[in-house]
Amino acid sequence: MNSLQGLLYGLSIAATPSNLLAAFVGAFAGTAIGVLPGLGPVAGVALILPLTFSLDPTAGLIMMAGIFYGSMYGGSTTAILLNIPGESASVVTAIDGYQLAKKGRAGATLTIVAVGSFVGGTLAVIGVMMFSSLLAKVAILFGPAEFFALTAGGLIVMSRISGGTLASALLPMTLGLMLGTIGQEAVTGETRFTFGLPDLAEGVSLVPVVVGLYGFAELMLLVEDRAHAANRPESVKMRDLLPTRTEWKRAVPSWLRGTFLGFLFGLVPGPAATLASFASYRLEKAASKHGSEIGSGAIEGVAGPEAANNSAATASLVPLLALGIPFTPIAALMISAMLVQGIQPGPLLITQHPEIFWGLIASAYIGNVMLLALNIPMVGVWVSLLRIPHYLFIPLLLVLSVIGTYSVRNSIFDVWVLLAAGIVGYAFNKMKFQLAPLVVGLILGPNIEKHFREALFLSQGDPWIYVESPIAVGVWLLVAAILIAGFIARRRAAFADAMAQESSL
Amino acid sequence: MRFQLNFRRMAWVSLALLAVAPPQARAADEWPTRDITFYVPYAPGGSTDPISRKYSELLEKQLKVKVIVENKPGASATIGTGAVIRAQPDGYTIGLGSTSSLAYQPLEMKGLVWKSASDYQSIVKLSDLPAILAVPADARWKTFEEFVAEAKEKPRKLKVSVSGLRSANDINIQQLNKLSGARIVTVPFTGGGGESTLAALGGRVDGTCGYAPGMKGQIDAGKLRVLAVFQQGKYDLIPDAKPIGETPWKETFPVGYYVIAPNGLPKPVLDKLMAASKTIVESDEFKSFLKANGYTWDPKLGDDMKKELEAYDGKFRAILKFLDDDK
């Protein structure tokens, strides 16, 4: 069966009424879950997992995939409107998205995001469909040393992700790295800095930190801001919901860059969607014509990362379907769903269960179209949420954030973390520190350490392992090139500034 | 005034009820009258969640009340296990335990509320999940004997990936080292066995020790060759694998899954729960579920299960001592 025949076969499966319903329910529930702060894709899929046991395997997986994509779509909504990322992959979306919303471009930005997610998701499905078996080998090329290069190099490159001074980024990043060391060390299970609290043994989880740092802090700032409370947006005009011609034009290259980058990230283990969105943001800063505007409300800073995280989410189906090896918690849940149904994911899946493979691929196309159709009309609804009076809106969001955070792993401890992170986020905001580097540190720190240790276990203590493979060396060279290019660009800018000042004198 | 009258009447009625039967005994006799919570001390995904849900589903049918499965992961499964052991012994909170959380963790972790199998009520053993040893398809070892022979000849040269330091997979390899005199190096990976399998597929290690359900896809596709299974008899899922029980180095550490309750369950509750559990583990539906998912059927009720866990305590102590001495 070639790809086209496979796709047609898949469409014949995905387009049955029950599977269409599964895709719709998944996409709809996913969007709702993504919009709720704290509840992200993992929680959403975990909630639905028991339900899928009673469905037939294809419908169950289609529904899970729908939730997955849907929550990736939905997570950015609150990030843009309220500066509260619904899940960790939307953290960078909040930076420029919220600035754009403040300028009255919320509707346009949401439209750009919905279309960008569609572009990223759809192009990635094409990639998965065409090259799945070929790309599965990419994952095998990556071992601990290569991942160490990727994650540690990534940390260095992303240290200046959200602009500002170097100090305002490094301190939060260090704090993030420190928080990442709390709990059980990944390889040996040795507990560190837990002060005997069993809750800390799992470490500080990402969701309460992200929702607290951004969401809680933002709510506190909103309470403070009496001027804004009196001066709400009156009504939303249709014209403001649609992007202008320039905005469309600026978004297209960013979508394509984000899609490509996200696809690559999806192929290798790790928190692909989150990392892809961060990396794409960094790439936009360097590659876009309007790179200097990023951070103060540029459409590229939203378009790139959103295309990237959807593309990565879709591409992460490759290792799942072709290797049967889960790289993300969601993939693990999907494999669990398959195993319960007696289906063995792996290299033979495509021949033994073509209905699953092609049905899932085809439903990804359908799901993306569905999400676009679902989200574009919703833009107006979301934007009008901003008109709810603050005395109703703030308590409501507060309650939703707490519920969302609690339900991820039924832990009241996480609610305390949420509160603490909120206070830290508020203080950092006041002191003009950047928040994104803290999140980067918390995500990458444990990964860097894990790969660092695994590599040393593998080489039995020989440090040369880090630079023995061509891939690892290649990654390090790339990191060096990015740093040098950034340095030169800054020197040039400083020089040009000095010249300009001189000539104006 | 009517309110007062009503109140008085209610007081008389309840007094009368108290005289007829002590409320506690009545509650125990009628158990279960409301939903039962089944704690799974692991996150969904992996081998623990499906088996818990299957047992709960069958228990629902037996007891005619809802059994709610709640995942309470963390701290090597000790958070969820502790939640069960500390719960009210009324039969409405039970949960899953494993050889690791029940027998191994108390040796490693301080301050747990359970030190031995006497600190909780053993209900039923659901299954064993044996570890398997697999090598990449193009590896030079065709049999388990060849692999062990080379590991003896060249100590600390052959590497086997495992999912975590001192995980059951690691312990199985160490036990083999201890008994055979070979010295296979274990390389711990994290990420639920996936990365450990990947390391073998990518040729970074010589073999991998893990669980068949996660590796079956690669085995069927001919990318991995299974050399041995760490259990006593033939393994239904992979009949070609050599059982360690048929080699000179018989002792193995399968991961056992058990149902536990807090100590002090009222006798009627305990009897009813045991009877229901016995029917479940002996049912054909449960057996075929185990077989399809690579679990081994080895039911043990109450005190038999307790004896097995007590024996594991000694086995774990012995292998930990060997690892300390062998440093």
Side-chain angles (χ1 to χ4, degrees):
Chain A
M1 217 186 301
N2 67 28
S3 301
L4 195 63
Q5 282 171 322
L7 182 63
L8 288 176
Y9 171 62
L11 282 173
S12 74
I13 288 161
T16 60
S18 64
N19 286 348
L20 276 178
L21 184 70
F24 177 76
V25 170
F28 187 76
T31 309
I33 285 168
V35 168
L36 292 176
L39 279 181
V42 181
V45 176
L47 284 172
I48 211 77
L49 180 68
L51 188 71
T52 64
F53 294 158
S54 54
L55 299 173
D56 89 273
T58 317
L61 285 171
I62 286 177
M63 192 187 277
M64 285 172 97
I67 289 189
F68 186 20
Y69 308 136
S71 52
M72 302 300 297
Y73 265 71
S76 49
T77 308
T78 46
I80 291 164
L81 294 179
L82 309 160
N83 201 18
I84 304 175
E87 24 92 23
S88 55
S90 305
V91 165
V92 284
T93 311
I95 304 171
D96 281 78
Y98 189 56
Q99 296 298 330
L100 283 163
K102 273 186 173 169
K103 292 181 193 164
R105 301 304 298 159
T109 311
L110 286 172
T111 308
I112 290 284
V113 164
V115 178
S117 298
F118 174 74
V119 170
T122 307
L123 289 181
V125 180
I126 297 175
V128 172
M129 186 178 81
M130 308 283 272
F131 311 114
S132 186
S133 50
L134 199 72
L135 290 172
K137 296 196 181 79
V138 173
I140 295 177
L141 294 176
F142 278 73
E146 289 79 7
F147 281 124
F148 176 70
L150 206 61
T151 48
L155 186 76
I156 296 170
V157 172
M158 290 186 207
S159 58
R160 307 200 63 163
I161 184 152
S162 51
T165 60
L166 192 59
S168 75
L170 278 188
L171 184 102
M173 180 176 269
T174 313
L175 189 68
L177 288 173
M178 285 164 67
L179 284 177
T181 60
I182 294 175
Q184 283 188 320
E185 190 262 320
V187 179
T188 60
E190 198 73 38
T191 54
R192 300 179 298 199
F193 311 120
T194 60
F195 305 103
L197 291 172
D199 295 292
L200 272 180
E202 270 293 271
V204 178
S205 47
L206 194 59
V207 169
V209 172
V210 168
V211 178
L213 273 184
Y214 286 85
F216 256 42
E218 189 61 35
L219 292 180
M220 284 191 253
L221 291 169
L222 277 182
V223 172
E224 253 182 27
D225 186 7
R226 283 176 181 279
H228 182 82
N231 174 24
R232 290 194 309 277
E234 281 306 303
S235 69
V236 190
K237 288 186 206 77
M238 195 60 207
R239 185 156 41 91
D240 295 332
L241 291 183
L242 290 175
T244 60
R245 188 184 274 266
T246 356
E247 281 169 329
W248 284 117
K249 246 191 197 157
R250 285 170 59 173
V252 171
S254 306
W255 285 338
L256 297 180
R257 279 191 293 263
T259 302
F260 182 72
L261 197 66
F263 194 79
L264 293 183
F265 270 91
L267 296 179
V268 294
T274 307
L275 287 185
S277 67
F278 276 98
S280 160
Y281 190 78
R282 185 67 182 76
L283 179 70
E284 287 309 312
K285 264 183 129 174
S288 159
K289 264 188 251 162
H290 306 271
S292 55
E293 289 169 39
I294 288 182
S296 53
I299 203 77
E300 289 87 350
V302 179
E306 282 298 318
N309 71 35
N310 279 275
S311 168
T314 307
S316 65
L317 287 177
V318 170
L320 168 71
L321 293 172
L323 287 174
I325 293 177
F327 288 154
T328 58
I330 290 167
L333 291 169
M334 291 179 81
I335 286 192
S336 183
M338 289 196 219
L339 288 176
V340 167
Q341 307 268 13
I343 290 160
Q344 185 62 59
L348 298 184
L349 181 77
I350 191 165
T351 46
Q352 284 175 346
H353 292 283
E355 77 282 4
I356 300 263
F357 185 89
W358 291 111
L360 206 56
I361 297 278
S363 80
Y365 283 106
I366 297 176
N368 271 303
V369 176
M370 246 175 213
L371 280 167
L372 191 67
L374 204 65
N375 275 277
I376 294 288
M378 288 298 278
V379 167
V381 179
W382 296 133
V383 175
S384 50
L385 277 183
L386 292 177
R387 298 178 60 211
I388 299 177
H390 275 177
Y391 61 84
L392 291 177
F393 196 51
I394 293 174
L396 188 71
L397 270 175
L398 203 66
V399 171
L400 284 178
S401 307
V402 170
I403 293 174
T405 306
Y406 176 80
S407 56
V408 172
R409 52 174 195 183
N410 298 332
S411 156
I412 196 72
F413 183 78
D414 282 352
V415 179
W416 299 121
V417 174
L418 173 79
L419 290 177
I423 293 166
V424 171
Y426 178 77
F428 274 22
N429 245 314
K430 291 276 161 190
M431 294 187 281
K432 302 268 180 284
F433 281 112
Q434 311 292 320
L435 294 175
L438 196 159
V439 179
V440 172
L442 182 59
I443 295 173
L444 284 180
N447 279 300
I448 293 170
E449 187 192 1
K450 168 181 125 93
H451 296 307
F452 179 79
R453 301 214 42 194
E454 281 173 357
L456 282 183
F457 267 109
L458 191 62
S459 69
Q460 300 185 53
D462 179 6
W464 285 107
I465 187 167
Y466 298 114
V467 287
E468 268 172 359
S469 93
I471 294 179
V473 173
V475 172
W476 283 120
L477 288 177
L478 187 68
V479 170
I482 293 172
L483 288 184
I484 292 167
F487 180 71
I488 292 174
R490 270 195 300 281
R491 283 299 292 268
R492 258 202 207 144
F495 185 68
D497 257 13
M499 289 295 282
Q501 272 184 3
E502 217 161 276
S503 61
S504 73
L505 277 176
Chain B
M1 284 303 109
R2 256 178 78 189
F3 176 78
Q4 230 172 4
L5 262 173
N6 268 346
F7 173 76
R8 205 171 276 170
R9 193 180 293 163
M10 266 162 59
W12 279 116
V13 170
S14 32
L15 252 179
L17 275 174
L18 273 173
V20 175
Q24 228 177 350
R26 277 174 54 87
D29 279 336
E30 282 172 9
W31 180 89
T33 53
R34 56 183 170 94
D35 295 353
I36 294 172
T37 304
F38 188 98
Y39 280 126
V40 181
Y42 301 89
S47 59
T48 50
D49 199 50
I51 194 168
S52 303
R53 291 188 191 272
K54 193 76 203 175
Y55 173 79
S56 303
E57 179 196 323
L58 296 173
L59 192 63
E60 266 181 11
K61 284 185 194 150
Q62 289 288 321
L63 298 177
K64 311 271 187 289
V65 289
K66 278 210 107 33
V67 179
I68 297 157
V69 176
E70 199 170 309
N71 297 91
K72 227 176 167 52
S76 302
T78 56
I79 290 181
T81 308
V84 177
I85 294 177
R86 280 195 305 265
Q88 279 290 328
D90 54 10
Y92 292 105
T93 310
I94 55 175
L96 187 82
S98 70
T99 10
S100 164
S101 68
L102 296 174
Y104 180 75
Q105 290 304 335
L107 303 180
E108 286 283 289
M109 242 185 242
K110 285 177 205 103
L112 295 182
V113 291
W114 65 105
K115 297 261 177 306
S116 73
S118 309
D119 294 329
Y120 47 86
Q121 176 66 51
S122 297
I123 306 291
V124 69
K125 176 181 183 184
L126 297 178
S127 71
D128 270 334
L129 184 63
I132 56 172
L133 176 66
V135 294
D138 54 4
R140 55 186 178 278
W141 314 280
K142 299 282 177 252
T143 65
F144 179 63
E145 285 73 18
E146 286 172 29
F147 192 85
V148 176
E150 188 169 329
K152 273 187 185 173
E153 208 175 289
K154 302 181 193 155
R156 298 184 205 281
K157 277 278 172 282
L158 293 190
K159 294 176 200 164
V160 167
S161 60
V162 294
S163 53
L165 197 68
R166 304 300 167 255
S167 63
N169 308 319
D170 185 17
I171 299 271
N172 270 309
I173 299 288
Q174 302 297 355
Q175 181 74 10
L176 178 66
N177 278 344
K178 180 184 169 192
L179 297 179
S180 70
R183 286 297 179 269
I184 299 166
V185 176
T186 56
V187 181
F189 280 84
T190 53
E195 286 176 40
S196 164
T197 311
L198 206 59
L201 288 173
R204 290 187 163 74
V205 289
D206 300 297
T208 179
C209 185
Y211 302 113
M215 292 152 73
K216 191 86 175 29
Q218 301 294 334
I219 297 165
D220 289 344
K223 310 261 183 201
L224 287 176
R225 177 164 55 242
V226 183
L227 296 184
V229 53
F230 288 85
Q231 73 170 14
Q232 298 308 311
K234 194 176 78 134
Y235 189 26
D236 286 332
L237 200 63
I238 305 164
D240 306 339
K242 172 115 183 162
I244 295 287
E246 292 173 14
T247 70
W249 319 292
K250 290 190 195 318
E251 212 174 326
T252 56
F253 290 86
V255 171
Y257 293 126
Y258 309 88
V259 178
I260 58 164
N263 262 341
L265 286 189
K267 185 146 188 332
V269 174
L270 183 60
D271 290 345
K272 223 168 173 176
L273 188 57
M274 295 282 244
S277 298
K278 188 171 190 296
T279 320
I280 291 168
V281 291
E282 285 171 359
S283 70
D284 288 334
E285 189 181 349
F286 189 71
K287 279 191 219 171
S288 59
F289 167 83
L290 291 188
K291 196 171 171 185
N293 287 283
Y295 301 102
T296 301
W297 186 68
D298 180 29
K300 288 193 168 77
L301 274 163
D303 281 344
D304 289 334
M305 162 179 153
K306 190 176 170 190
K307 274 188 203 114
E308 176 171 294
L309 284 164
E310 279 165 349
Y312 269 121
D313 179 78
K315 282 173 73 178
F316 278 126
R317 280 175 201 275
I319 186 75
L320 284 177
K321 185 173 182 310
F322 163 75
L323 285 170
D324 263 351
D325 297 344
D326 196 48
K327 261 179 191 160

